[in-house]
Amino acid sequence: MKSTVASAAFVAACVGCTHTDLPTNAPGHVEVSRAPGDLSLRVVEPPSDPGERMVLVGYGGFVGVGEQNSRGIGTTQAYGIGPEVSIGYGVGDTSHTEDEPLLGNGVLAERGIALNLGWTSLSSLGKGLGPLYAEVEFRRGGLIGVAGGWTWDPDDRTQGPQATVNFGPLYARVTTEIDLGTQVTLGIVLKGEHGFVWSR
Amino acid sequence: MSLLALNDHVLKGAGIVPTWVTGKLSDVTGLFFFPILLFTLAGLVRPVRHRVRRATAFAWATGVSFAAVKLVPFINAFVAAIWGAMVMDATDLLALPMLGLSVLYLRSEPHVVARGVSSMHARGRWVSLRDAAGVAFAGLASMATSSPMMVRAYPAWEVTGAASRAAGCVDVTPFVVKSGKEGIGLVATVQPRGGDPATAPCSTHLIGARIAAGGAAFPATVGKTAIDPSTRTVRTYLGFPFDNNTLWNAGLRDATLELDTDGSEGTRRIVFDLREVWPASHAPRTLVPAASSAQPSVSPSAPSTAPAHDGGVP
């Protein structure tokens, strides 16, 4: 089960970084009130970059390990594994280029906000399956994300807050399930992502 | 794997070695490496029992997929949308014998590839950090790249149809030099059509200019005249500010440029067709500045003995 989850997440992350360029607002910026310096040159002035906006749909999974403090048990080792999907909106001051090394066909938002829906299906906290969660994530610089949300565990009939900090594929997460305990995990989130990108 | 990563993510596009070398090196290393990667990934899911049979199967799968991508356009387009642009070139199939070497490697060095996998299953332990890092690096390294960095390309208005039209004793040739959300800027070159200036003096003024698109007319509000005394060629910059972004989003791609002239042969209106074109969302960095080079190229100066002309927009 664990290897299947990890393999699926890895494959999704490797093959799923794609995007679609939309034609909306495609022209760049020019200053038509200013004449070129030399009218005899047959040169077209390259427009300046208007930047871009994007909607990003992500899908994949995460694997994290750490420690937890459970009521009546104390501090023990912890793990959390599960799938996560997200939908976000972002902007970039500069348009993306194609063929970014190691990024494939993916795009990154310089500033953005996203809704993450996940399920820590394999969790050391509580009994049975782990909690479902929903987070709102604020993204900066393409790689950094800070998220906060709420978890709900139907098996243990509990719920609680959750906070996550992402840096690229790495994350740190604190999950508290009221009356159950608190779990802190560090791990890797591997998510494929498809972006719909258009100019500003 | 290191050679593939170095070639695809460092050497390609760096100008250090010729493009054909990086292209072929990518194919050669990739065809050797992919069956090994598939073999290793499969080992994570299911233990290896028939090593040679599995290696051969992955080599065949890699070869058939590679040939399809290199030869079949719609498969190439489909894979490129997911994995990255890959050049269609039948000569790349010359690298297929590397698959045989890959199978030989898997046969002769089974302990190297399967050590971590078999031990993982034997011990029932989760894959080690080293193995996971190796697989992750291999996956990233194998992602396709194309040699030129592709940058954002923008739509541009171009003069279509006749590049030059006669207005009395002169020819007028417009050339779009600016095109963007805020409108269009173009240079109108006015050249006498020859003749003896002593017996056939030519005097023409540009008295009006507008762009008509989508049922609206946008007059030029900026004019600049340059007179080249040696050639008697007049060049006038005309700026047409309008909301071109709205026109673009409305799907309006065609317009007309109307120029009114007044000279010794009376008032005339000449009309040029314009079209806003966008070949692709991205283009190689080296081509973007010359994106509208498809426009008719006009000699910047033509020898003439005719009197100097005046130009400009009132």
Side-chain angles (χ1 to χ4, degrees):
Chain A
M1 178 62 183
K2 291 177 179 177
S3 63
T4 303
V5 171
S7 299
F10 172 74
V11 171
C14 286
V15 305
C17 293
T18 58
H19 72 270
T20 301
D21 288 301
L22 303 177
T24 306
N25 300 333
H29 286 301
V30 293
E31 188 179 340
V32 296
S33 61
R34 180 177 52 82
D38 187 349
L39 298 184
S40 66
L41 295 177
R42 299 285 164 181
V43 177
V44 179
E45 180 180 293
S48 59
D49 189 351
E52 60 191 11
R53 304 179 195 277
M54 63 195 75
V55 169
L56 301 168
V57 180
Y59 49 91
F62 58 89
V63 178
V65 295
E67 291 190 343
Q68 65 189 30
N69 192 312
S70 307
R71 173 164 293 190
I73 299 178
T75 301
T76 58
Q77 290 187 332
Y79 62 86
I81 303 172
E84 182 179 281
V85 296
S86 62
I87 182 167
Y89 169 80
V91 297
D93 293 330
T94 57
S95 297
H96 69 280
T97 58
E98 303 283 349
D99 308 316
E100 289 281 9
L102 300 181
L103 186 58
N105 279 323
V107 290
L108 296 174
E110 294 174 30
R111 301 179 300 280
I113 186 170
L115 173 65
N116 300 326
L117 301 175
W119 180 26
T120 313
S121 48
L122 302 177
S123 174
S124 55
L125 191 61
K127 61 185 180 184
L129 297 173
L132 300 162
Y133 63 83
E135 291 179 327
V136 175
E137 180 182 2
F138 296 92
R139 297 175 177 175
R140 289 290 183 274
L143 295 175
I144 301 171
V146 177
W150 201 258
T151 65
W152 177 64
D153 191 334
D155 282 343
D156 296 300
R157 297 178 182 279
T158 184
Q159 54 185 308
Q162 175 171 287
T164 306
V165 176
N166 291 292
F167 183 77
L170 307 177
Y171 76 89
R173 173 170 291 162
V174 179
T175 303
T176 296
E177 295 190 56
I178 299 170
D179 295 331
L180 200 58
T182 297
Q183 183 184 70
V184 179
T185 53
L186 306 175
I188 298 175
V189 55
L190 294 172
K191 291 167 74 174
E193 199 163 59
H194 187 83
F196 297 90
V197 190
W198 67 97
S199 284
R200 290 199 293 184
Chain B
M1 190 171 70
S2 299
L3 180 61
L4 177 65
L6 177 70
N7 180 70
D8 283 7
H9 301 293
V10 177
L11 294 181
K12 273 189 175 181
I16 301 172
V17 293
T19 304
W20 68 268
V21 173
T22 56
K24 299 305 179 192
L25 193 58
S26 179
D27 295 331
V28 168
T29 54
L31 285 174
F32 178 78
F33 160 70
F34 255 96
I36 299 173
L37 174 64
L38 295 175
F39 190 93
T40 306
L41 288 175
L44 292 174
V45 179
R46 179 169 295 185
V48 179
R49 289 177 182 163
H50 304 287
R51 188 182 324 281
V52 175
R53 189 181 301 172
R54 180 177 284 191
T56 304
F58 285 138
W60 270 100
T62 301
V64 171
S65 303
F66 181 77
V69 168
K70 293 294 181 180
L71 299 176
V72 184
F74 82 89
I75 294 179
N76 182 279
F78 176 77
V79 175
I82 300 172
W83 199 254
M86 284 181 278
V87 177
M88 287 187 66
D89 184 355
T91 64
D92 290 346
L93 301 185
L94 292 173
L96 283 175
M98 292 304 296
L99 294 170
L101 293 180
S102 183
V103 173
L104 288 176
Y105 175 79
L106 289 170
R107 283 181 58 185
S108 62
E109 301 286 346
H111 60 285
V112 173
V113 177
R115 180 178 54 203
V117 175
S118 59
S119 62
M120 177 187 78
H121 286 286
R123 297 194 304 268
R125 295 169 58 184
W126 185 235
V127 65
S128 69
L129 181 62
R130 183 198 60 191
D131 294 331
V135 172
F137 178 67
L140 291 172
S142 64
M143 294 183 76
T145 59
S146 58
S147 50
M149 184 71 81
M150 306 287 278
V151 298
R152 169 68 82 175
Y154 303 97
W157 287 93
E158 294 181 353
V159 178
T160 60
S164 182
R165 292 191 183 280
C169 58
V170 299
D171 287 328
V172 180
T173 306
F175 186 89
V176 178
V177 295
K178 298 184 180 204
S179 181
K181 296 180 188 294
E182 293 80 6
I184 300 174
L186 60 84
V187 172
T189 301
V190 182
Q191 291 179 296
R193 259 185 282 120
D196 186 352
T199 58
C202 179
S203 176
T204 298
H205 301 264
L206 186 60
I207 60 173
R210 71 196 64 79
I211 285 176
F218 310 106
T221 59
V222 180
K224 177 184 178 182
T225 302
I227 300 174
D228 183 340
S230 64
T231 62
R232 304 293 190 263
T233 296
V234 176
R235 297 184 186 88
T236 300
Y237 175 75
L238 302 170
F240 298 90
F242 60 93
D243 189 354
N244 186 40
N245 199 53
T246 298
L247 290 186
W248 172 265
N249 288 337
L252 293 171
R253 303 286 186 267
D254 295 298
T256 56
L257 168 66
E258 300 173 355
L259 300 177
D260 294 327
T261 61
D262 183 23
S264 55
E265 299 182 14
T267 301
R268 294 173 182 267
R269 171 171 293 180
I270 50 178
V271 179
F272 294 88
D273 294 324
L274 300 177
R275 183 167 184 79
E276 190 165 25
V277 296
W278 194 38
S281 66
H282 287 75
R285 184 184 299 278
T286 54
L287 296 181
V288 169
S292 60
S293 59
Q295 286 194 112
S297 179
V298 180
S299 173
S301 62
S304 171
T305 56
H309 298 276
D310 194 7
V313 178

